[in-house]
Amino acid sequence: MPDAPERLPVVIAETYDDLARRLARRIAEVIRAPRRDGRPAVLGLATGSTPIGIYRELIRMHREEGLDFSRVVTFNLDEYVPMAPDSVHSYHRFMRENLFDHVNIARENIHIPRGDLERSEFEAHARDYERAIGEAGGIDFQLLGLGQSGHIGFNEPGSSVASRTRLVVLDTITRRVAASDFFGMENVPAEAITMGVATILEAREIALVATGEHKAAIVKRAVEGEVDRDVAATYLQQHPHATVYLDAPAAAELTRRKTPWWLGEIEWTPRL
Ligand code: F6R
């Protein structure tokens, strides 16, 4: 792999819709790109509010432009534990409702970590998940949201750069942020299963997406802070093909200090 660029490239769009369209177009390019060995495109996918507009745009491209998912393979980042796949809070259900039910993806090509296993089964499940990613040829494009704890996937503060798919304890910040969805923090699961940092960093291309001014401070740490196990997103600075995609409010803390070196490195996208 080539060396990581000196600073994470940052793309700022004027609005969330512009950002979503741009990312969907990039994902469509990855899906359509011919691969030497003829293997299908492998996407790493995220849940949460950030990717919803991207998935909406991909669905539109499928319906109106014939974007074909029949040979696309997907691996989701994470799932709460415990969590039944049909629960309203389940990431399995989220993915069905927000993407998979609306495109022609083959069910057997969808992979999402399971949150409904016995405790003793998670280790083997995590190993199988890693193996399946390898057997699919590795992840071509990994979509990431950014948690307010600095997490990517559910790699909470303290996660090692060498971490793999595993059971984790959720950070208090993460559980507090999720509290309104679960009607109270006491209902938010204490644990999750997540791809590890090492798993994520093996993706050939990574897009870290953040929107809204509530993300501005953690975006600044992720992009400008020292690489630090307390903010897992900083590990992306070590990746040769990671890009940060922001809307203007999420970029506020970066652009407030528009120093000359920054001006050269931020790409402002025109309205699409
Ligand atoms: C979800 C995931 C999380 C979220 C992050 C941001 O699969 O892995 O890391 O991407 O918590 O969530 P939103 O987009 O809801 O702000």
Side-chain angles (χ1 to χ4, degrees):
M1 273 207 188
D3 287 344
E6 229 164 82
R7 234 171 285 274
L8 273 172
V10 178
V11 171
I12 304 172
E14 250 180 80
T15 67
Y16 175 66
D17 285 349
D18 293 336
L19 201 63
R21 272 194 290 272
R22 183 174 172 127
L23 278 150
R25 273 215 304 267
R26 179 67 200 126
I27 292 171
E29 277 171 12
V30 172
I31 290 175
R32 290 179 174 133
R35 284 175 183 75
R36 240 181 325 208
D37 45 6
R39 67 172 178 80
V42 182
L43 304 178
L45 298 179
T47 60
S49 55
T50 309
I52 287 180
I54 303 168
Y55 296 153
R56 200 184 303 129
E57 179 64 7
L58 286 172
I59 293 166
R60 189 200 63 74
M61 292 170 94
H62 168 67
R63 289 187 180 147
E64 296 175 15
E65 298 169 14
L67 181 62
D68 182 12
F69 285 79
S70 63
R71 297 193 67 246
V72 172
V73 175
T74 63
F75 288 89
N76 263 77
L77 285 162
D78 42 24
E79 175 60 292
Y80 289 111
V81 173
M83 186 57 66
D86 54 351
S87 159
V88 285
H89 301 299
S90 160
Y91 286 169
H92 287 248
R93 181 158 169 178
F94 175 99
M95 289 307 301
R96 282 197 302 272
E97 291 180 351
N98 287 288
L99 183 62
F100 296 147
D101 281 354
H102 310 285
V103 295
N104 63 332
I105 191 163
R107 299 296 119 169
E108 64 272 21
N109 287 349
I110 296 171
H111 305 82
I112 307 178
R114 286 181 58 176
D116 60 343
L117 300 174
E118 295 296 326
R119 184 147 290 272
S120 59
E121 296 173 311
F122 278 107
E123 215 180 297
H125 179 54
R127 247 193 335 266
D128 289 347
Y129 205 71
E130 291 280 336
R131 191 178 319 117
I133 294 173
E135 283 171 3
I139 292 172
D140 293 303
F141 183 95
Q142 176 67 57
L143 189 60
L144 297 174
L146 176 62
Q148 299 209 40
S149 65
H151 70 211
I152 48 176
F154 275 136
N155 291 286
E156 300 287 21
S159 294
S160 144
V161 69
S163 55
R164 290 283 169 186
T165 303
R166 68 203 187 287
L167 207 54
V168 292
V169 174
L170 292 174
D171 192 83
T172 307
I173 298 176
T174 301
R175 295 186 64 232
R176 200 177 295 139
V177 169
S180 60
D181 287 342
F182 283 85
F183 307 108
M185 195 164 149
E186 64 282 9
N187 302 321
V188 181
E191 293 177 303
I193 177 167
T194 182
M195 271 189 207
V197 175
T199 324
I200 291 170
L201 291 179
E202 278 172 4
R204 294 180 186 88
E205 177 177 346
I206 298 178
L208 176 70
V209 191
T211 64
E213 77 186 314
H214 62 296
K215 297 279 177 80
I218 195 67
V219 162
K220 181 170 185 289
R221 270 200 83 185
V223 174
E224 294 187 339
E226 293 286 310
V227 176
D228 177 357
R229 64 194 293 150
D230 282 342
V231 182
T234 59
Y235 289 127
L236 299 175
Q237 295 175 22
Q238 301 175 339
H239 192 278
H241 298 295
T243 303
V244 181
Y245 294 83
L246 307 171
D247 66 358
E253 298 254 337
L254 296 178
T255 52
R256 190 167 300 139
R257 304 176 312 103
K258 258 194 255 162
T259 52
W261 57 262
W262 256 121
L263 282 177
E265 298 192 7
I266 295 182
E267 181 190 338
W268 293 87
T269 66
R271 288 195 69 101
L272 301 171

